[in-house]
Amino acid sequence: MNLTTVILAAGKGTRMRSKLPKVLHPVAGKPMVQHVIDNAKALGATSTNLVYGHGGELLKQQLGHNEVNWVLQEQQLGTGHAVAVAKEHIGDDDRVLILYGDVPLTKQETLEGLLKATPERGLAVLTVDLADPNGYGRMLRDNGKLVGIVEQKDANEEQLKITEINTGIMACHGGLLKKWLGNLSNSNAQGEYYLTDIVAMAHSEGVEISSSQPSHPMEVEGANNRVQLAQLERAYQGWQAEQLMINGASLADPARIDVRGTVTTGQDVHIDVNVIFEGQVELGDDVVIGPNCVLKDCKIGDGVVIKANTLIEDASVAAKCTLGPYARLRPGAVMEEDSHIGNFVEMKKSRLGKGSKANHLTYLGDAQIGEKVNIGAGTITCNYDGVNKSQTIIGDHAFIGSNSSLVAPVEIGATATVGAGSVVTTNVGDKQLAVARGKQRNLDGWQRPTKKS
């Protein structure tokens, strides 16, 4: 049976007080609705239908890379109407999963549980019990069996006491769903076509109705304003921190870490406060990360020490390296085993060989650096002539004196030495000493400039 998903994302989100459509506001660094689309893909959906209304151009700009059917809901006439506009994309024998673009935290296993509970020719609803159900539709049961859903504004006093509420997420047989959508009425307090009315229709026809629940109520919370958006963010980050600790990481403060992607860790990893992970990050055993670091799309080997305020993006760091504080690895940077970069050192598209070090105030761009090389403070590989990038190659055991400029393309041989303050423009052979600086002159009787009146 094919799985078809319908994601409702047409709301404007007035209470967000933003030019951005509500579902594009981010949780963990990506739009809320992208979380929902990713879930649909992970579930193996053969068709995903995104029902949109407000901000269509912005939605397509940010979400255009996804394989979805774009379904326009020109008028917002309720959830039943929103699903109905996607009817032509629903097959009679499909299993249809209805999701919401502003409910980003629903876990894949929760949706799998709902689909598993769905009768082959029936309906299943994701419900949750809340201590305070105010504002939500209540689940109506007769001898334990679901018979309908009543919205808050249509509920009587007795029904308002019910604590089991409707999350809106449901799964259904495609042919039955389309038939029920055609029979919806807007005779209610809101004047809208309620998707929830199909539960009563199913009951009246003797169709089997089941339900399941998430492991945590926050999985089914939406965001209508920025306060609620922040609550979703904290809940998500709390879960990520918990998983990191379960996997073998110690966190200085679980409330002060942000995961905006996927992090895998080895054992005995130590993470200080205000660390941000983005994209795909892999940490080996015994990694130590200081405060205020940002790691994005990188692989960190065993025993690496990353000191405070270090940024690593699209880079690879082998075992036993140290970085920082205030170091930066840009895309294409590679540190081989036991290499070291210190404060205010930046690497881009460069390889630092095994046991080599650049401990202070250095820029290494488009460079290939051998083993056991010492890069003195203030060294720059001058890799850009204003039009083209060129490469600097430094052999094993070379020594580059402080405040040197290596003007690429240039090669420094193995065990070569570059004197401090040199501007090197031609190749240096193995074991050679290169001194490339102006001759010093000391002048007597020189007068300093004076300030003009």
Side-chain angles (χ1 to χ4, degrees), residues 9-20:
K12 184 177 182 180
T14 305
R15 283 176 281 176
M16 285 289 185
R17 300 188 65 80
S18 171
K19 295 184 289 293
L20 201 64

Side-chain angles (χ1 to χ4, degrees), residues 429-446:
D430 293 350
K431 300 183 180 179
Q432 285 188 329
L433 167 65
V435 181
R437 56 193 179 216
K439 185 177 180 181
Q440 180 175 331
R441 292 186 298 158
N442 299 334
L443 303 179
D444 293 324
W446 179 76

Side-chain angles (χ1 to χ4, degrees), residues 287-291 293-295 298-313 315-330 333-336 338-347 352 356-359:
V287 172
V288 177
I289 304 176
C293 293
V294 180
L295 283 73
C298 58
K299 183 175 181 179
I300 309 299
D302 296 345
V304 170
V305 176
I306 303 170
K307 298 180 182 179
N309 302 290
T310 293
L311 279 63
I312 303 173
E313 178 182 0
S316 176
V317 180
K320 301 179 183 177
C321 292
T322 61
L323 301 83
Y326 295 98
R328 184 183 182 192
L329 295 187
R330 292 169 58 194
V334 176
M335 294 181 64
E336 300 287 6
D338 196 33
S339 59
H340 309 271
I341 64 171
N343 48 288
F344 305 105
V345 174
E346 178 180 343
M347 287 179 61
L352 187 62
S356 293
K357 57 186 178 181
N359 281 332

Side-chain angles (χ1 to χ4, degrees), residues 87 92 121 173-184 198 201-202 205 207:
K87 280 200 300 185
D92 288 344
R121 291 187 58 83
H173 178 269
L176 291 174
L177 174 63
K178 290 196 288 186
K179 180 183 72 171
W180 294 329
L181 290 172
N183 294 330
L184 289 177
I198 71 172
M201 292 179 185
E205 296 176 14
V207 172

Side-chain angles (χ1 to χ4, degrees), residues 8 77-83 98 100 123-127 135-140 146-154 165-170 177 180-181 183-185 188 190 192-203 209:
L8 307 189
L77 303 177
T79 51
H81 176 256
V83 178
I98 299 165
Y100 294 80
L123 171 68
V125 183
L126 191 67
T127 74
Y136 295 97
R138 308 305 204 276
M139 307 306 299
L140 303 180
L146 277 177
V147 297
I149 302 172
V150 61
E151 296 297 332
Q152 166 98 11
K153 293 183 179 180
D154 300 308
I165 64 99
N166 170 44
T167 69
I169 297 171
M170 57 179 68
L177 174 63
W180 294 329
L181 290 172
N183 294 330
L184 289 177
S185 166
N188 51 60
Q190 291 286 86
E192 294 184 348
Y193 296 93
Y194 292 151
L195 179 64
T196 51
D197 289 347
I198 71 172
V199 176
M201 292 179 185
H203 174 67
I209 306 170

